[in-house]
Amino acid sequence: PPGFTSALARRLDAISPLAVKEAEEGDAVAVGRVLIAPGGFHLTVGADHRVHLNEAPTLHGVRPAADITLASIASVYGGNATVAVLTGMGKDGADGAARVEGLGGTILVQDEASCVVYGMPKSAREHTRNPHEIPLDHMAEALIRAVA
């Protein structure tokens, strides 16, 4: 929800070696930078490798929707993308993960045992051919290995 994402970004920035911030229109996608979609806005990445925000209708009843972000990432980065689908309710992220994987990208899903809600990772696992199931406490390490 609006307001939550800025607090989340500040908290993650304080504990992460990466620079974390709530995304703003035009922010550049860059190595070592984490951009969190602001509550109430869909986030896409354009061919200019910049973030674009919009208030288009919800998808799966949510805005931001991971599937919208992942579709744009697939279009721009194709098989060079790595996607991690973490705990969450519903199926958002599954179609986008499948699209990225279809282009040769890597899909990581949080394992059921470490999820609070297994909906999104389960759906992504079911919609992709070769997802890597990772416990949450090993996800950062797995992401680093996937992109190194």
Side-chain angles (χ1 to χ4, degrees):
F4 171 78
T5 51
S6 62
L8 173 65
R10 285 190 305 274
R11 172 74 176 122
L12 292 175
D13 186 57
I15 64 172
S16 173
L18 302 174
V20 181
K21 72 179 289 272
E22 184 178 55
E24 298 176 65
E25 179 65 31
D27 277 344
V29 174
V31 173
R33 184 180 212 193
V34 178
L35 299 169
I36 296 178
F41 290 87
H42 292 303
L43 182 151
T44 60
V45 177
D48 58 358
H49 302 277
R50 295 195 171 275
V51 165
H52 302 286
L53 304 173
N54 70 70
E55 295 178 283
T58 63
L59 178 65
H60 312 301
V62 298
R63 187 179 54 224
D67 276 331
I68 289 173
T69 301
L70 294 176
S72 71
I73 287 170
S75 295
V76 173
Y77 298 103
N80 293 318
T82 296
V83 172
V85 180
L86 305 179
T87 189
M89 191 178 340
K91 65 176 189 168
D92 189 25
D95 290 339
R99 181 181 251 175
V100 168
E101 184 186 57
L103 294 170
T106 301
I107 309 303
L108 309 175
V109 297
Q110 186 176 347
D111 72 330
E112 184 174 8
S114 67
C115 281
V116 174
V117 179
Y118 188 51
M120 289 172 63
K122 178 182 180 188
S123 188
R125 183 178 52 77
E126 292 171 348
H127 284 82
T128 56
R129 292 182 308 277
N130 189 33
H132 305 276
E133 287 194 88
I134 311 290
L136 182 59
D137 60 346
H138 294 282
M139 188 61 76
E141 176 185 317
L143 279 165
I144 291 166
R145 274 195 319 268
V147 300

